[in-house]
Amino acid sequence: MTRRTYLIKRVLQAIFSLWIIATLLFFLFRMGLPDPTAALITEGLNPEQRAAVRAQFGLEEPLWRQYTLFLTNAVQGEFGTSFSYRAPVADIVWDRLANTMILMLVAIVIAYGIGVPLGAWLSWRRGSRTDTAGIFVGLMFRSAPMFWTGMIAILIFGVGLSILPTSGMRTLPYDATGFWPKVLTLDFLWHAVLPVMIVALYYLGSPLLIMRNTMLEVYGEDFIEMARAKGLPERDILYRHAARNALLPVVTQLAVTIGLAAGGQVVVEVVFSWPGLGREILNAVRTSDFPLAQASFLVMAAFVISLNLLVDILYTTLDPRVSFR
Amino acid sequence: MTLPPFLRAAAGPLKLMVQDRLAVIGMCVLGFIIAMALFAPLLSTHDPRQINEIEDGSVLLRGPDGWALSDSLGPLALNDADTAAGEALIVGREGTVWARDGDGWTRRSVPTDADLNAVAIGPQGGALIVGAGGTILLRDGDGWTAIPAPAPAELRGVAWIDAATALAVGAGEEIWRIDTAAGTVEEVTSPVGRGFSLNSVARDVDGTLLAVGVRGLAIRYDPDTGTSLERLGSSRDLNHIHIAPGGAALVTGERGTLLRRDGTDWTTDPAPDTRALRAGWIDDDGRAVAVGRNGIVMEWDGAAWVLVDTESERHLRALLIDGDRWMALGSDRFVVRLAPPSAEHWFGTDHLGRDLYSQNVHGSQIALLVGFLGATLVVLIGTNVGLIAGYYRGRTETVLMRTVDVMYGIPFEPFALILVLLFQPSLLIVILAVSLLTWRTVARLIRSQVLSLRERPFVKAARVAGASDLRIMYLHIFPNVMPLVFLELAIIVGVSIIAEATLSFLGLGPPQSISWGGILHDARLSGAWRTAWWWNLPPGILIMTTVLSVFFISRSLEVVANPRLRARG
């Protein structure tokens, strides 16, 4: 199989997955919420307005018509109007997705940037007290639920020392149009410190442990003996020879992690009032805002799938040994 | 004794696990948590859902920054106090009498353990205490003697008429004239006679006495002419009356009732809070204060009543004003809200006064139930899918593995949220939400193992010998992936526990159940988590220790599953 046919096959697979998830989502919603506009009655919508909403989602049509309408709308990026925001769902979702991605990507980069060298170093000191302590700390942050570490961090840095802001992306009120003017400020950086730190600490454990364990396996290989025999300094053996060869499983883990990043960490967004997509889904669930919940989830899944695809393609470029099977 | 071969085979990995110090710690901790879940009702000190109340002889002192809680006077509620000529007396439940002794208080013994409701110090150093069961106590030197009552009435208030006689009023509209010299009690006829409760009595400036009671009832007693009705302008239940030497008077009552007399006219003042007021005090210079249930303290600022900050929710029943020293006394049973850890409540209490230690102990049940049930379900699905896909290959594999691929496109937390939105939160939905997506990893791992195992000679030999597909899959291949299955089981137990805690934290856990995530949800919702550290810390630490112990065990299982790690460790 050539690289080209592999790529085509992989893209088709991704589209297939997305279609399955969209179908699943549609039927889940029809099963759980036979009349999604029921939630609107309490908000004082008159019968005409309600009928208009029902027509927009095609709720009077037979099921298969509703389904095709849902699919065509989704493909066109037309998700209707949010019940609670009274604004186009698509605008809300894209804005929140960007907020989630910046938080997650920065945190993941930091976690892997620290975790990989630290894991390599721990493997070099294997069996020592430092090694045990490193494993312990890495596993500890992996075991502690993020909403709890987040609350504790707010208690310490926000309430106790009051040196860091604990909620939102910017100090309110702020005046910024668009994503980059909002993000490229010191104020944003200041607000991002705590949530990024909490997510990064949580993710730190896996690169640390994977790197350490793979390094231990690599140490047994002949080329390491060879390097030792040549009289290379331990530092060079560790970082230039062993670490490079131990990177592959870490990259695999990184790919999976980035792939799921769009799903975000709902609890971190909730605890730090970060206006991300995860928090939006929770709000939509609480207010029975079904167009928003449906669209957020679909966009999230689409993003997860495309990130997975992208990472897979990059992966074949990085490591030619991965066959196109 | 020789062990059967399969036990001997199992002993090897077990020995490896025992050698790993972290794994042993993990097993001990997990064992401890499991024991906690099993014996939760025995281990917890309270019912985790019960709202805890206690009684306390509470004292609030007025300082420059408002009314602050001071050292308690014993464990029993204080009901009334009086001061005159440099001495002060406090009475409370079950025969409690405290007398001021320098700067402190000493407990005085009295010949009764009935609840004492009121105390009055007379013009010539006499002192009278009245209480439940017709208790009347007269001070006699250093001790107290009981005056026999004509009926076992619940006496609520007492006031001196002159140096030798006093008037006591009671819950059955009793008006008793007490002759302290003769030790006799004479019943005075009430002008109402319908058994209305009289709650308090005070001596007015003209030598008559004024008693107040339920439904705005006010009765004036003139030692010469007897009783007569009086109108104060309120029909609420009145709890207490205080009259200053110059004629200013204050009556307090239910639902924030404040009746003030300035000269001769009674006015009803608007109160800043509508809860019950139990006691008031006023002087002729325009200073006044009223106290009530739930730590309510109001002060008169010359033009209006203002609510003053207090640091406590205790029920205040009496005031003791002696010069610049202002004390408020209570407290009958009050809810122990947000109490820091103590001998009674080891982990403190939450905003509803529920015991947090017991909640944390009970929380382990849900965590372990979801953790192990969810993980078993996940491993069951994942292993079978992996086995079947890896063994049969071909179209079966394609369908199953494409399904797994699709599942990798579904983000976990949002999916669980949607599931709970569409179907009401329940234990089943939480377990389903946890397990429906997690099996994807297990299926992929097991399949890749099975793919290499099925080409091994022992499988081919079994096939040649005529073994069925099922027999080969479950009797020949499965034992070889067992270590991997156990490793995954351990990891997923940890993942499930965190997932359950997360859902509960978001308020989407099984309703009416106590879980660690739910405790943190309550803490965040109440807003008190920023100060009540004892509320936040234990559940998080428990989640972390449980998951950590499972991870430690899984790490040593990894060594068992992957012999390549064994040599170097």
Side-chain angles (χ1 to χ4, degrees):
Chain A
M1 194 190 287
T2 64
R3 187 176 160 75
R4 191 193 164 87
T5 47
Y6 168 78
L7 284 184
I8 293 174
K9 199 178 155 205
R10 195 63 191 74
V11 170
L12 285 179
Q13 252 178 39
I15 294 173
F16 173 78
S17 293
L18 195 54
W19 171 63
I20 294 281
I21 290 175
T23 309
L24 198 77
L25 191 66
F26 173 81
F27 286 105
L28 256 182
F29 267 90
R30 282 302 164 281
M31 221 162 77
L33 281 181
D35 184 6
T37 56
L40 284 176
I41 302 173
T42 49
E43 295 185 23
L45 218 66
N46 62 39
E48 291 92 69
Q49 283 170 313
R50 199 172 154 210
V53 176
R54 289 182 66 88
Q56 190 192 358
F57 291 100
L59 292 174
E60 312 294 351
E61 311 265 353
L63 197 64
W64 66 271
R65 279 284 303 152
Q66 290 183 34
Y67 174 60
T68 46
L69 186 71
F70 166 73
L71 281 189
T72 24
N73 278 346
V75 169
Q76 291 165 352
E78 172 58 52
F79 297 113
T81 311
S82 157
F83 288 173
S84 48
Y85 287 90
R86 314 261 164 181
V89 166
D91 298 354
I92 302 170
V93 168
W94 292 118
D95 177 61
R96 305 296 190 270
L97 179 67
N99 294 345
T100 294
M101 285 313 285
I102 192 151
L103 169 68
M104 295 302 284
L105 288 182
V106 172
I108 290 173
V109 166
I110 292 178
Y112 278 74
I114 297 174
V116 168
L118 204 63
W121 184 68
L122 284 185
S123 75
W124 186 47
R125 304 279 314 265
R126 63 189 169 279
S128 68
R129 263 162 208 268
T130 330
D131 183 31
T132 317
I135 295 172
F136 188 84
V137 171
L139 278 177
M140 202 174 81
F141 280 110
R142 188 99 193 131
S143 314
M146 269 189 282
F147 54 85
W148 181 68
T149 45
M151 281 163 90
I152 300 296
I154 289 179
L155 276 186
I156 296 174
F157 296 104
V159 180
L161 303 172
S162 55
I163 48 172
L164 285 171
T166 57
S167 83
M169 290 175 82
R170 291 286 301 270
T171 312
L172 294 171
Y174 65 91
D175 178 36
T177 49
F179 180 66
W180 292 112
K182 179 172 69 183
V183 165
L184 291 175
T185 56
L186 270 179
D187 185 42
F188 168 78
L189 211 61
W190 203 230
H191 277 76
V193 171
L194 276 185
V196 164
M197 183 178 85
I198 292 304
V199 178
L201 276 175
Y202 177 76
Y203 279 130
L204 185 68
S206 16
L208 185 96
L209 291 174
I210 293 173
M211 191 65 191
R212 179 189 169 275
N213 285 356
T214 330
M215 287 288 278
L216 289 182
E217 289 186 28
V218 171
Y219 284 149
E221 306 274 345
D222 294 339
F223 70 91
I224 298 290
E225 290 298 314
M226 179 68 190
R228 285 228 174 80
K230 281 198 289 186
L232 291 178
E234 277 293 316
R235 254 182 75 94
D236 279 12
I237 299 175
L238 175 70
Y239 288 108
R240 298 183 61 162
H241 294 257
R244 277 192 195 182
N245 283 281
L247 270 177
L248 198 64
V250 183
V251 174
T252 313
Q253 181 64 31
L254 176 65
V256 175
T257 313
I258 291 182
L260 288 172
Q265 291 295 349
V266 178
V267 281
V268 173
E269 293 179 0
V270 167
V271 168
F272 291 100
S273 307
W274 190 269
L277 200 51
R279 187 160 160 265
E280 209 56 65
I281 282 201
L282 181 69
N283 286 344
V285 165
R286 288 216 177 116
T287 54
S288 297
D289 188 347
F290 108 98
L292 189 58
Q294 195 168 286
S296 305
F297 190 80
L298 200 60
V299 166
M300 231 179 222
F303 223 72
V304 169
I305 288 173
S306 8
L307 275 176
N308 275 338
L309 177 67
L310 192 74
V311 160
D312 269 8
I313 294 170
L314 278 180
Y315 204 67
T316 53
T317 327
L318 279 179
D319 185 18
R321 282 181 298 180
V322 176
S323 65
F324 306 129
R325 254 184 302 127
Chain B
M1 194 180 88
T2 49
L3 290 164
F6 67 90
L7 268 184
R8 231 178 303 153
L14 210 64
K15 219 186 281 170
L16 272 171
M17 285 181 68
V18 173
Q19 280 167 5
D20 187 347
R21 209 165 3 125
L22 287 179
V24 174
I25 296 173
M27 280 188 277
C28 292
V29 172
L30 190 66
F32 178 75
I33 304 269
I34 291 175
M36 191 159 110
L38 289 178
F39 302 111
L42 291 177
L43 284 171
S44 53
T45 51
H46 295 71
D47 177 353
R49 291 191 180 82
Q50 179 204 321
I51 291 168
N52 291 291
E53 294 178 337
I54 55 161
E55 186 182 341
D56 180 48
S58 302
V59 177
L60 258 68
L61 267 177
R62 185 178 192 250
D65 307 320
W67 295 73
L69 203 58
S70 177
D71 292 340
S72 292
L73 287 178
L76 295 166
L78 306 173
N79 288 335
D80 195 22
D82 197 12
T83 178
E87 73 160 332
L89 288 171
I90 297 176
V91 296
R93 283 198 344 106
E94 293 181 17
T96 311
V97 176
W98 295 88
R100 180 143 75 215
D101 185 10
D103 274 341
W105 295 86
T106 47
R107 176 92 194 253
R108 292 289 155 87
S109 63
V110 287
T112 176
D113 57 1
D115 295 348
L116 304 178
N117 293 330
V119 58
I121 300 175
Q124 286 173 15
L128 264 176
I129 295 173
V130 297
T135 306
I136 303 168
L137 298 173
L138 175 68
R139 184 156 63 186
D140 178 16
D142 274 344
W144 297 81
T145 49
I147 294 177
E154 163 93 21
L155 296 176
R156 292 273 172 83
V158 64
W160 288 86
I161 303 169
D162 53 44
T165 48
L167 198 73
V169 295
E173 213 180 310
E174 292 87 357
I175 304 174
W176 291 355
R177 188 189 158 108
I178 304 163
D179 188 333
T180 55
T184 55
V185 173
E186 174 201 343
E187 292 187 66
V188 179
T189 339
S190 161
V192 185
R194 288 172 62 185
F196 285 168
S197 174
L198 290 170
N199 294 329
S200 180
V201 63
R203 185 176 189 275
D204 212 341
V205 278
D206 60 0
T208 62
L209 284 91
L210 189 59
V212 295
V214 295
R215 302 198 201 173
L217 178 64
I219 297 174
R220 189 170 288 282
Y221 172 75
D222 189 317
D224 304 324
T225 58
T227 55
S228 61
L229 266 181
E230 186 145 324
R231 299 236 167 267
L232 302 186
S234 170
S235 56
R236 297 245 170 87
D237 292 357
L238 305 176
N239 288 328
H240 186 259
I241 179 167
H242 177 259
I243 301 174
L250 179 67
V251 173
T252 52
E254 296 297 307
R255 306 199 54 186
T257 304
L258 285 163
L259 305 171
R260 197 163 44 85
R261 186 177 69 179
D262 219 355
T264 51
D265 296 330
W266 289 92
T267 51
T268 306
D269 288 335
D273 192 285
T274 54
R275 272 174 282 189
L277 295 173
R278 303 304 297 260
W281 176 88
I282 193 164
D283 72 0
D284 299 312
D285 308 329
R287 295 189 300 174
V289 58
V291 297
R293 291 181 67 83
N294 301 95
I296 298 279
V297 178
M298 296 172 187
E299 286 178 15
W300 174 255
D301 69 356
W305 289 91
V306 285
L307 210 54
V308 191
D309 284 344
T310 58
E311 62 175 28
S312 156
E313 292 226 341
R314 292 163 198 231
H315 302 315
L316 302 174
R317 303 196 62 125
L319 278 161
L320 183 60
I321 312 276
D322 185 9
D324 287 336
R325 220 162 102 160
W326 292 24
M327 292 166 80
L329 309 165
S331 162
D332 36 332
R333 296 183 72 80
F334 64 99
V335 177
V336 206
R337 282 174 218 280
L338 294 174
S342 61
E344 174 69 15
H345 301 286
W346 295 349
F347 290 180
T349 59
D350 68 3
H351 63 312
L352 296 177
R354 295 174 301 191
D355 183 56
L356 282 170
Y357 166 73
S358 306
Q359 284 193 36
N360 278 298
V361 168
H362 278 268
S364 61
Q365 292 180 327
I366 290 274
L368 291 184
L369 187 69
V370 174
F372 281 97
L373 221 59
T376 314
L377 204 62
V378 165
V379 169
L380 214 64
I381 302 174
T383 309
N384 281 306
V385 169
L387 265 177
I388 292 168
Y391 182 77
Y392 285 111
R393 313 227 34 191
R395 188 159 295 171
T396 323
E397 186 192 16
T398 316
V399 170
L400 287 177
M401 285 300 119
R402 278 301 86 79
T403 316
V404 170
D405 285 346
V406 169
M407 304 203 94
Y408 266 96
I410 303 177
F412 167 71
E413 281 177 8
F415 178 73
L417 290 185
I418 299 269
L419 217 59
V420 177
L421 157 75
L422 297 176
F423 311 94
Q424 294 309 310
S426 68
L427 192 61
L428 183 73
I429 282 292
V430 168
I431 293 178
L432 269 184
V434 167
S435 44
L436 264 182
L437 284 185
T438 334
W439 62 267
R440 56 193 181 189
T441 334
V442 185
R444 266 195 186 174
L445 268 170
I446 300 289
R447 171 184 156 269
S448 63
Q449 279 274 322
V450 173
L451 277 183
S452 82
L453 281 170
R454 76 189 290 276
E455 307 298 338
R456 299 269 283 275
F458 71 91
V459 174
K460 289 189 172 139
R463 203 171 289 143
V464 170
S468 68
D469 286 344
L470 280 181
R471 192 178 169 84
I472 296 174
M473 267 160 55
Y474 290 99
L475 280 180
H476 296 272
I477 296 180
F478 181 66
N480 286 288
V481 293
M482 274 284 270
L484 196 62
V485 170
F486 274 110
L487 168 64
E488 283 302 306
L489 184 73
I491 290 174
I492 287 170
V493 166
V495 171
S496 308
I497 290 174
I498 291 191
E500 185 276 327
T502 302
L503 284 179
S504 297
F505 171 75
L506 294 174
L508 303 170
Q512 306 301 321
S513 68
I514 299 159
S515 73
W516 292 332
I519 297 173
L520 288 167
H521 170 72
D522 287 348
R524 212 182 111 77
L525 210 63
S526 79
W529 63 280
R530 281 166 181 266
T531 45
W533 53 269
W534 58 88
W535 200 352
N536 293 327
L537 282 181
I541 291 173
L542 279 168
I543 297 172
M544 191 169 77
T545 356
T546 312
V547 177
L548 199 60
S549 69
V550 174
F551 278 170
F552 281 159
I553 296 170
S554 80
R555 242 178 58 83
S556 70
L557 282 172
E558 204 173 357
V559 178
V560 177
N562 184 0
R564 283 214 291 168
L565 291 172
R566 216 175 291 178
R568 300 164 203 104

